Amino acid sequence: MRFITLEGIEGSGKTTQIQHVLEHLSHQGHKCMLTREPGGTKIGEKIRAILLDGKNHDLVPVAELLLYMADRAQHLSNVVKPGLAAGKTVICDRYFDATLVYQGYARGLSVDLINNLHSLVFDDFKPDLTLLLDLSPELGLKRAWNAIDAGDRVSHETRFESEKLDFHRKVREGYLALAALEPERFRIIDASRCETDVRQDILRNLTP
Ligand code: TMP
């Protein structure tokens, strides 16, 4: 029973690699479930649609933060906590670290405010292990837009991909700063390599 999260900038390959994590751990006999933020619940899907709609240019940063937290409240109580209580390994595509880096480091809201809200509302509930798929924003954005253009990803979920390169640089730097603060929880994976190499590295890092 573990709570494992995958994090990384746009185009880091999380969504592909998370399937490998699921297969590997299930094969080892762990009862697993795969989920994501935002959008891991029915209500969360609706919140996700607001958050990622490329037409919502005027969403103010605090509203954005509170929507991510609303999604998380629903997700923790409906999915993550019941899953862990049932003895499952919960594997989640993004979680609280994404809020710290996207809304804090990149969008400019106070990181202390975000940490305080997380402590107050969610009792500072953190993953046991976080795999950070790290690569340059130039390469990540190239991959993300290729996936959108090829129809592999939902084409209207582009609000973050449309941000300037500087925003994504801050996201990457934010993630690396968080990893340096909590080295026992984070594993940094070089995600600029091919899918197979990244997969092998991730699987090596799953051993507690
Ligand atoms: P996804 O594309 O990995 O599904 O993530 C959706 C987007 O939401 C991604 O651009 C990162 C962003 N995000 C935040 O800004 N804050 C958060 O707390 C989370 C979970 C995601």
Side-chain angles (χ1 to χ4, degrees), residues 7 11 18 22 32 39-40 62 72 77 93 105 128 151 161 189:
E7 299 278 358
I18 207 166
L22 173 71
C32 295
V62 173
R72 185 158 306 131
S77 86
D93 191 337
Y105 287 84
D128 301 298
E161 284 76 3
I189 311 288

Side-chain angles (χ1 to χ4, degrees), residues 12-37:
S12 57
K14 288 178 292 97
T15 315
T16 307
Q17 294 295 341
I18 207 166
Q19 296 292 340
H20 298 315
V21 174
L22 173 71
E23 274 166 34
H24 181 77
L25 292 177
S26 304
H27 192 70
Q28 287 189 329
H30 298 278
K31 282 190 287 170
C32 295
M33 56 184 286
L34 203 59
T35 185
R36 67 170 180 175
E37 288 195 3

Side-chain angles (χ1 to χ4, degrees), residues 7-10 14-15 36-38 48 51-52 64-65 68-69 71-72 93-103 107 153 157 159-161 167-168 175:
E7 299 278 358
I9 62 166
E10 271 33 71
K14 288 178 292 97
T15 315
R36 67 170 180 175
E37 288 195 3
R48 180 181 174 97
L51 281 165
L52 302 192
E64 181 179 283
L65 168 67
Y68 278 110
M69 289 193 64
D71 170 74
R72 185 158 306 131
D93 191 337
R94 295 195 191 279
Y95 180 64
F96 172 59
D97 297 306
T99 314
L100 281 173
V101 299
Y102 281 83
Q103 281 65 55
R107 200 69 92 198
R153 283 195 37 196
E157 287 191 345
R159 203 165 64 84
F160 284 90
E161 284 76 3
F167 179 91
H168 297 281
Y175 273 130

